[in-house]
Amino acid sequence: MKVEVVAYTTFDRLKAGEVSGYVPHVDGPGDGISEMDELAEFAGRMCYQSWNRPNPKTATNKGYLDNIIKQGHFSVLEHGSLTLYVEGVSRSLLTELERHRFLSFSVISQRYVSHDPEWIVTPPLIAENPDTAGQVFDDAVEHAMDAYNTLVEELIGRGYGRKQALEAARSVLPNAAQVKMVVTGNIRAWRDVLQKRWHAAADAEIREFAGEVLKALRQYAPNSVSDIPDRPYGTEES
């Protein structure tokens, strides 16, 4: 599984100070506070014009966002977004992830891109049992790929275009077929993913994906996810 950050929201803290009464933190981006975390604080303080940070408990960026999270005022977290390039995940994972409707997707097309036999994602539990379940899985995938390739060849041989052949043949591809995609979400949307998928009861593959998302957010917006546990929800140490 590959999950890489390819884009993220930046914040012009000096411009924000020029156009409003906002006072940038001394330890701004590059000195301890991420741009997306400070952007969320700027948006929140704008609502109440509380530029001078009179309350010691919310004077720091972390203290301010801790209070935002405690109060559930997540709208200010929608201004910052993170875009991920993802590959090595299954169609099953995509189906679950698409239920998070505030994410935006661009997904490899099965109508235009021929499916490579190597593009198969083995479920974690099957990978842990290669001598039993693994053999059954491999046989099933091989059978599906044989059917896929046969359909493509037959349909092209009958004069249909490659796109037409691929769109018909894709119907026999397994849920384990690999997906490559670009997916974007604002911080609130990614928090929703984590709260539902970073859980012991979640599907194993999407739980692994959620862990990669959490790693990215810890780097790019740490104070916005400071309440998310390092271990999945539902485990003893979460």
Side-chain angles (χ1 to χ4, degrees):
M1 180 182 298
K2 178 187 290 186
V3 180
E4 299 287 348
V5 175
V6 294
Y8 60 94
T9 301
T10 60
F11 174 51
D12 189 335
R13 56 205 298 271
L14 298 181
K15 175 61 71 173
E18 289 176 10
V19 300
S20 70
Y22 180 70
V23 180
H25 284 278
V26 174
D27 55 344
D31 296 308
I33 300 176
S34 78
E35 292 186 77
M36 284 194 284
D37 283 338
E38 192 168 8
L39 172 58
E41 180 184 350
F42 167 70
R45 291 193 180 282
M46 187 282 302
C47 294
Y48 304 101
Q49 299 291 287
S50 57
W51 303 122
N52 295 322
R53 303 184 176 89
N55 186 346
K57 292 182 179 179
T58 58
T60 65
N61 180 263
K62 186 177 186 309
Y64 187 86
L65 293 185
D66 282 349
N67 186 61
I68 287 289
I69 292 169
K70 180 180 178 181
Q71 297 297 325
H73 294 166
F74 298 124
S75 62
V76 298
L77 302 182
E78 296 176 14
H79 297 290
S81 66
L82 204 65
T83 299
L84 306 175
Y85 170 77
V86 182
E87 69 175 47
V89 299
S90 70
R91 207 82 186 176
S92 295
L93 182 146
L94 174 62
T95 299
E96 292 202 33
L97 194 61
E98 284 179 326
R99 296 174 189 169
H100 298 272
R101 292 176 174 83
F102 294 105
L103 297 178
S104 299
F105 297 87
S106 295
V107 181
I108 189 170
S109 173
Q110 290 182 334
R111 297 178 66 210
Y112 288 87
V113 181
S114 178
H115 189 81
D116 190 304
E118 299 298 320
W119 293 352
I120 294 294
V121 180
T122 304
L125 190 60
I126 294 177
E128 293 169 10
N129 295 275
D131 296 334
T132 52
Q135 187 58 55
V136 175
F137 176 82
D138 290 343
D139 290 344
V141 167
E142 183 178 358
H143 180 74
M145 289 307 305
D146 286 344
Y148 172 82
N149 290 326
T150 298
L151 285 170
V152 171
E153 292 174 6
E154 285 285 332
L155 292 169
I156 291 177
R158 296 190 180 193
Y160 294 101
R162 181 173 177 275
K163 184 181 74 171
Q164 289 176 292
L166 291 178
E167 73 179 32
R170 66 179 173 169
S171 62
V172 301
L173 288 174
N175 272 341
Q178 182 189 160
V179 167
K180 299 180 181 182
M181 61 180 165
V182 174
V183 54
T184 299
N186 64 50
I187 304 305
R188 185 179 191 175
W190 284 124
R191 283 180 56 89
D192 182 63
V193 171
L194 292 173
Q195 287 162 356
K196 294 177 174 62
R197 309 300 181 177
W198 186 232
H199 196 286
D203 170 82
E205 184 187 8
I206 204 168
R207 184 172 61 244
E208 179 184 351
F209 172 80
E212 294 299 313
V213 171
L214 181 58
K215 286 181 187 177
L217 290 171
R218 289 267 195 257
Q219 179 178 355
Y220 289 90
N223 292 340
S224 295
V225 292
S226 61
D227 61 316
I228 306 294
D230 290 330
R231 291 176 59 83
Y233 292 107
T235 57
E236 293 182 1
E237 297 180 22
S238 65

